[in-house]
Amino acid sequence: MLNLSAKNIRLNSSATNKEEVIHLVAAELVANGNVAAGYETGMLARETQTSTFLGNGIAIPHGTLDTRHLVQETGVQIFQLPQGVEWGEGNIAHVVIGIAAKSDEHLALLRQLTSVLSDEDAAATLAKTQNLDEFIAVLSGKKNLPSLSEELVSLNVESSSLITLSAINAGKLQERGYVSQAFISDVVTSQALNLGNNLFVNDSAKGNEANGVAVARNTQGQTLITVAQTDNSLESVLAPLLKAEVRSQFVTATPAQIVALLKGEEVSAPQQNVAAGNQVIGTFTVRNENGLHARPSAVLVQTAKAFNSQITVENLDRQTPPASAKSAMKVVALGASLGHRLRFVAEGDDAEQAIEALQKAFVDGLGESVSFVPSVEDTIERAAVQAPAPAAQETIPTVAENQKEATFVIKNEHGLHARPSAVLVNEVKKFAAKIEVQNVDKNSPLVSAKSLMKIVALGVTKGTTLRFVATGDDAEAALAAIGAAIEAGLGE
């Protein structure tokens, strides 16, 4: 992780040209003990090979392989330039992040940086803020975490296991600061709630640090939504999921469409005939010893930009969401190391030519000399539509002898919407007993009655019968309190 402080950040700086900025950055890296003298030469040489401008006003100058031996300690030096500096080809840099890294540590740094800097609002804040704490918070990805983001969507997972999908979602949430390890440990062992239409949801009461929703979908169309929440503001996300016509769209939706669906927005019907001859998929192995750092990434992007087709890429080893292969920032953010498998999807009239050109670029080393021989051959194939796998049939758990159970009828005129659901959950949380609830009318599986998300997802209307099962020393008292709260109208 980045170690950011006033020691390696210079706000409100100025310079007349790119070379002057690199000189300033290199001098600070030397002063802070990150590199030895002479590293600046490598940084300037790197710019002659390929520009280190990423987009959104961000540049990331760093040394060449020939000067890597001068790196003493991995780190960064950052200069904010509110007036901007020309970085070549008309690009203006407002934030310059000089990187010193040993081995392929730079890939982890680049991946962390680009996941933040791909956000235009974050980049704009970094360019103008004069508040050091705000600058550090934004660059660390700790401020204004979006609850819904395409970065939290993983598609085409090659696994039929909900546990795998859950681990992918939880891992992404943790990586971006939404949850702690306690969330991961709990959520991967809990049973996901089947909403129907091959769509599942899960959450945990442990380790929630920010509101966020992660989505993972496997190649059979099975989709898992994992929710991290610190308050009740995500209730609106669940409401659309109660509609079958919305759930059915998750099977083929793009990351952008998935985010829109979770926002309750209407999206155009997904294309069903994606294999109509204009979509081609290529899966290639990274052969570059130091992964896709700036230079090979630039060659990859230039190759993709030569074609009209829309081209996306995802890192199968890191389970990243599809990103534009024509964006240097998005390609660097893949964090692709030697041996990683990247999956390209090209759609358009020249899709096949584009994928073939990308394969040749990989084989040729993306502008570098390579000798690595992949253990798995590269593949090129036309997409084929797969029918979604039928939703697994879940059985209703039976009640053990040491459990207590009770059924209650909901009398609220508008059912269990946000307010009465919250009152119910707060009442249940007063007790140590494990308490689960089932919508008897819909024959739903038992779910935790201490999860607001799962209560809302039950789709309870006026007259619905709920079955509560409580296990623990205070089980009987808990059921009595639940019954009293329901009889009193749950706050209404």
Side-chain angles (χ1 to χ4, degrees):
M1 295 292 290
L2 290 174
N3 183 19
L4 301 175
S5 67
K7 183 179 179 181
N8 55 2
I9 297 174
R10 297 289 180 266
L11 299 182
N12 201 27
S13 301
S14 62
T16 57
N17 54 52
K18 173 172 66 173
E19 290 73 22
E20 183 181 349
V21 178
I22 290 176
H23 174 73
L24 293 172
V25 169
E28 291 291 340
L29 287 172
V30 172
N32 289 336
N34 297 113
V35 301
Y39 190 72
E40 178 182 346
T41 301
M43 298 177 79
L44 292 170
R46 171 69 69 188
E47 296 296 328
T48 66
Q49 297 174 358
T50 185
S51 174
T52 58
F53 185 82
L54 283 182
N56 284 351
I58 311 295
I60 52 167
H62 52 285
T64 60
L65 296 178
D66 294 336
T67 54
R68 181 171 289 176
H69 68 284
L70 297 174
V71 177
Q72 298 172 339
E73 181 180 357
T74 295
V76 298
Q77 184 62 47
I78 304 168
F79 276 76
Q80 181 204 56
L81 305 155
Q83 303 306 313
V85 170
E86 166 74 32
W87 212 265
E89 300 181 356
N91 296 314
I92 304 298
H94 291 281
V95 177
V96 176
I97 305 173
I99 298 176
K102 301 176 181 179
S103 185
D104 61 355
E105 292 174 330
H106 67 298
L107 291 176
L109 281 173
L110 289 175
R111 185 162 175 258
Q112 182 184 350
L113 289 170
T114 52
S115 66
V116 175
L117 302 179
S118 59
D119 181 340
E120 293 183 2
D121 292 337
T125 299
L126 292 172
K128 64 184 181 183
T129 183
Q130 295 304 300
N131 184 301
L132 180 63
D133 291 336
E134 181 180 36
F135 189 97
I136 291 174
V138 173
L139 191 57
S140 302
K142 297 179 180 178
K143 185 173 183 178
N144 297 327
L145 285 172
S147 58
L148 300 174
S149 168
E150 292 182 41
E151 296 293 324
L152 295 174
V153 178
S154 303
L155 303 183
N156 301 308
V157 178
E158 295 182 354
S159 173
S160 59
S161 169
L162 281 174
I163 295 177
T164 299
L165 298 183
S166 185
I168 291 171
N169 281 345
K172 282 202 169 185
L173 289 169
Q174 183 193 40
E175 179 180 313
R176 288 162 175 78
Y178 292 88
V179 303
S180 68
Q181 182 60 43
F183 181 96
I184 296 179
S185 300
D186 185 54
V187 81
V188 297
T189 58
S190 63
Q191 184 179 22
L193 175 63
N194 186 355
L195 295 179
N197 300 94
N198 228 8
L199 183 66
F200 299 78
V201 295
N202 66 354
D203 68 346
S204 171
K206 302 176 181 178
N208 294 276
E209 298 181 354
N211 290 328
V213 180
V215 181
R217 187 178 73 208
N218 63 23
T219 52
Q220 290 78 42
Q222 190 177 54
T223 305
L224 175 67
I225 297 174
T226 301
V227 180
Q229 53 187 345
T230 58
D231 53 41
N232 299 338
S233 62
L234 290 179
E235 294 167 6
S236 59
V237 172
L238 299 171
L241 303 182
L242 302 180
K243 301 176 182 178
E245 61 270 24
V246 173
R247 296 195 299 267
S248 63
Q249 295 184 69
F250 279 84
V251 176
T252 53
T254 65
Q257 289 175 325
I258 286 174
V259 171
L261 288 169
L262 291 172
K263 289 180 178 178
E265 300 172 359
E266 292 187 5
V267 300
S268 57
Q271 296 295 320
Q272 296 299 317
N273 188 18
V274 296
N278 65 341
Q279 188 180 80
V280 182
I281 300 173
T283 306
F284 313 131
T285 300
V286 176
R287 294 156 167 83
N288 303 68
E289 181 179 354
N290 298 295
L292 294 191
H293 55 88
R295 183 179 180 184
S297 292
V299 173
L300 189 160
V301 170
Q302 290 167 4
T303 302
K305 284 184 174 180
F307 299 90
N308 294 323
S309 291
Q310 176 183 334
I311 307 173
T312 61
V313 57
E314 55 190 299
N315 186 334
L316 298 180
D317 290 272
R318 290 190 182 276
Q319 298 290 356
T320 64
S324 172
K326 298 182 180 182
S327 165
M329 182 176 290
K330 298 289 179 64
V331 170
V332 172
L334 294 171
S337 302
L338 175 68
H340 278 189
R341 299 275 287 168
L342 302 189
R343 181 179 186 268
F344 293 84
V345 178
E347 190 165 4
D349 294 337
D350 56 0
E352 188 165 356
Q353 296 95 314
I355 293 298
E356 290 175 349
L358 285 167
Q359 181 186 34
K360 184 177 185 302
F362 269 75
V363 172
D364 292 343
L366 294 168
E368 296 184 332
S369 177
V370 296
S371 59
F372 178 77
V373 179
S375 59
V376 180
E377 291 185 1
D378 294 339
T379 61
I380 295 178
E381 58 185 333
R382 292 196 174 277
V385 178
Q386 292 180 306
Q393 295 296 317
E394 298 195 33
T395 57
I396 306 300
T398 56
V399 180
E401 291 183 1
N402 63 338
Q403 295 175 334
K404 303 290 184 180
E405 71 170 85
T407 58
F408 307 106
V409 176
I410 299 300
K411 302 178 180 180
N412 299 66
E413 188 66 30
H414 302 290
L416 292 191
H417 56 87
R419 183 180 177 185
S421 294
V423 172
L424 175 59
V425 170
N426 288 336
E427 186 66 33
V428 171
K429 285 183 176 179
K430 294 177 181 178
F431 299 91
K434 176 184 178 182
I435 305 173
E436 295 179 304
V437 58
Q438 173 197 8
N439 184 330
V440 175
D441 297 344
K442 291 187 176 182
N443 196 29
S444 72
L446 283 166
V447 298
S448 173
K450 297 183 180 181
S451 167
L452 179 64
M453 179 191 76
K454 291 179 179 177
I455 292 292
V456 175
L458 290 173
V460 177
T461 58
K462 181 180 180 181
T464 295
T465 298
L466 296 184
R467 169 178 173 249
F468 289 84
V469 178
T471 305
D473 293 337
D474 54 359
E476 191 167 350
L479 293 177
I482 290 170
I486 291 175
E487 182 64 28
L490 295 169
E492 295 187 330

